[in-house]
Amino acid sequence: MKKIYAFIGILVLLANCKSKQVAYNDPVPDHDSITVVSKHVNETRIINIWTPPGYDTSTDSFPVLYMPDGGVKEDFPHIANTLSKLLSENKIPPFILVGIENTERGRDLTGASEAEDDKQYCPITDGAKNFRAFITEELMPEINATYRTTKEKGIIGESLAGLFVMETFFVQPTAFDFYIAMDPSLWWNNHYLSSHAETLLSKLPDTELKLWFAGSSVEDISQYTRSVEKALISHAPETLTWKYADEPKEKHHTIFRATKEKALIWTLNDN
């Protein structure tokens, strides 16, 4: 029985590193698609942008929510539709959504690893630092030059994208103002982020930040999200507003859709 569970765990981890395989029939909302040539990842990347209703008829500027896994055949449609729904219900303020379509997902969303076992799941390339530089140094200026944006910006992701969100929060916290991570793959690199959370929290700048994250029933993830929660309880700075959602009834492939609304409502509003 233990071998069966181990095999299932490996399948989950392998799936994390590839483009998502679960298919949904989400209607694709009206949006813009642009390409950005990147020196940092040495590619031309497809970017999808959803603007809130009334954007074209107003002169207002809006905060921006960035999203890895942001292709039209990935998570962009259902998050854009969710933002539209919550906005129509007056549950969130208007935001611009910027989705980044995947090319090499495992490369872009994982940082360095000293764990030899990680090679069987994802390439150990430390690609996250280049992907982060692409977002902050190339994509953000392009979005700010093309759209009416405020200085406020955040990022949302699940699984490996959640790992990228959490790593960015810990190692480059001023890249965004708020962070949302569902079932982040904190097992990466011998669960470095969770085991060093207290030290990393002590290095956070004296800046107002928000963090919302959640863990499902998957033990290889939830044990580490709960570990980060414990570190936050005892070591979170006063300038950090945070919330952890323990979701033992959710599975890895259900937690994004199960928690997205409450995550967005809590994070995008003033607490």
Side-chain angles (χ1 to χ4, degrees), residues 91-141:
K91 293 181 178 179
I92 61 169
F95 270 73
I96 295 171
L97 178 67
V98 175
I100 308 164
E101 188 166 313
N102 283 316
T103 55
E104 296 291 335
R105 186 171 187 261
R107 175 202 66 192
D108 288 343
L109 300 179
T110 57
S113 178
E114 297 179 356
E116 285 296 315
D117 287 347
D118 284 353
K119 290 180 179 179
Q120 64 184 305
Y121 307 130
C122 302
I124 299 178
T125 63
D126 196 14
K129 65 182 181 184
N130 297 326
F131 188 57
R132 192 158 32 246
F134 159 65
I135 295 174
T136 59
E137 298 176 21
E138 297 174 325
L139 178 57
M140 285 182 180

Side-chain angles (χ1 to χ4, degrees), residues 3-261:
K3 290 183 178 179
I4 293 175
Y5 285 133
F7 178 69
I8 293 173
I10 289 174
L11 291 179
V12 170
L13 298 178
L14 285 171
N16 286 348
C17 298
K18 300 179 183 294
S19 296
K20 296 187 176 182
Q21 301 300 312
V22 179
Y24 295 97
N25 294 318
D26 296 299
V28 179
D30 291 338
H31 67 284
D32 301 331
S33 290
I34 64 174
T35 58
V36 177
V37 179
S38 172
K39 294 181 180 178
H40 287 294
V41 294
N42 195 31
E43 289 178 334
T44 298
R45 302 300 292 259
I46 297 174
I47 310 298
N48 300 301
I49 304 100
W50 176 86
T51 54
Y55 176 89
D56 292 334
T57 58
S58 77
T59 58
D60 295 339
S61 297
F62 301 92
V64 183
L65 178 61
Y66 289 85
M67 184 176 66
D69 293 334
V72 170
K73 295 183 179 180
E74 298 167 336
D75 288 318
F76 178 80
H78 95 260
I79 293 300
N81 292 332
T82 299
L83 289 173
S84 180
K85 172 180 178 292
L86 294 177
L87 184 57
S88 69
E89 296 170 346
N90 295 315
K91 293 181 178 179
I92 61 169
F95 270 73
I96 295 171
L97 178 67
V98 175
I100 308 164
E101 188 166 313
N102 283 316
T103 55
E104 296 291 335
R105 186 171 187 261
R107 175 202 66 192
D108 288 343
L109 300 179
T110 57
S113 178
E114 297 179 356
E116 285 296 315
D117 287 347
D118 284 353
K119 290 180 179 179
Q120 64 184 305
Y121 307 130
C122 302
I124 299 178
T125 63
D126 196 14
K129 65 182 181 184
N130 297 326
F131 188 57
R132 192 158 32 246
F134 159 65
I135 295 174
T136 59
E137 298 176 21
E138 297 174 325
L139 178 57
M140 285 182 180
E142 179 72 20
I143 295 299
N144 292 336
T146 308
Y147 295 88
R148 300 190 309 276
T149 64
T150 66
K151 293 182 179 180
E152 186 181 5
K153 53 194 178 297
I155 186 169
I156 184 172
E158 182 263 346
S159 192
L160 273 194
L163 171 68
F164 179 80
V165 169
M166 295 297 288
E167 181 185 274
T168 303
F169 166 75
F170 279 122
V171 305
Q172 195 175 334
T174 57
F176 299 93
D177 301 293
F178 57 89
Y179 296 81
I180 303 173
M182 289 83 164
D183 240 18
S185 302
L186 294 174
W187 49 266
W188 182 257
N189 190 23
N190 293 322
H191 53 91
Y192 178 89
L193 292 178
S194 65
S195 62
H196 291 76
E198 293 183 3
T199 300
L200 293 167
L201 286 170
S202 71
K203 297 178 180 179
L204 288 183
D206 186 20
T207 304
E208 296 288 338
L209 296 172
K210 294 181 76 172
L211 169 67
W212 188 101
F213 67 115
S216 71
S217 60
V218 178
E219 185 63 21
D220 284 345
I221 293 177
S222 61
Q223 62 178 309
Y224 304 125
T225 54
R226 291 172 186 148
S227 176
V228 171
E229 178 195 25
K230 291 180 181 178
L232 285 163
I233 290 172
S234 58
H235 290 81
E238 293 184 0
T239 52
L240 174 64
T241 303
W242 67 276
K243 185 177 182 63
Y244 174 60
D246 192 13
E247 304 286 345
K249 294 183 180 180
E250 298 301 332
K251 299 178 181 179
H252 189 65
H253 68 279
T254 66
I255 191 169
F256 200 174
R257 289 171 181 264
T259 63
K260 61 183 180 179
E261 289 196 11

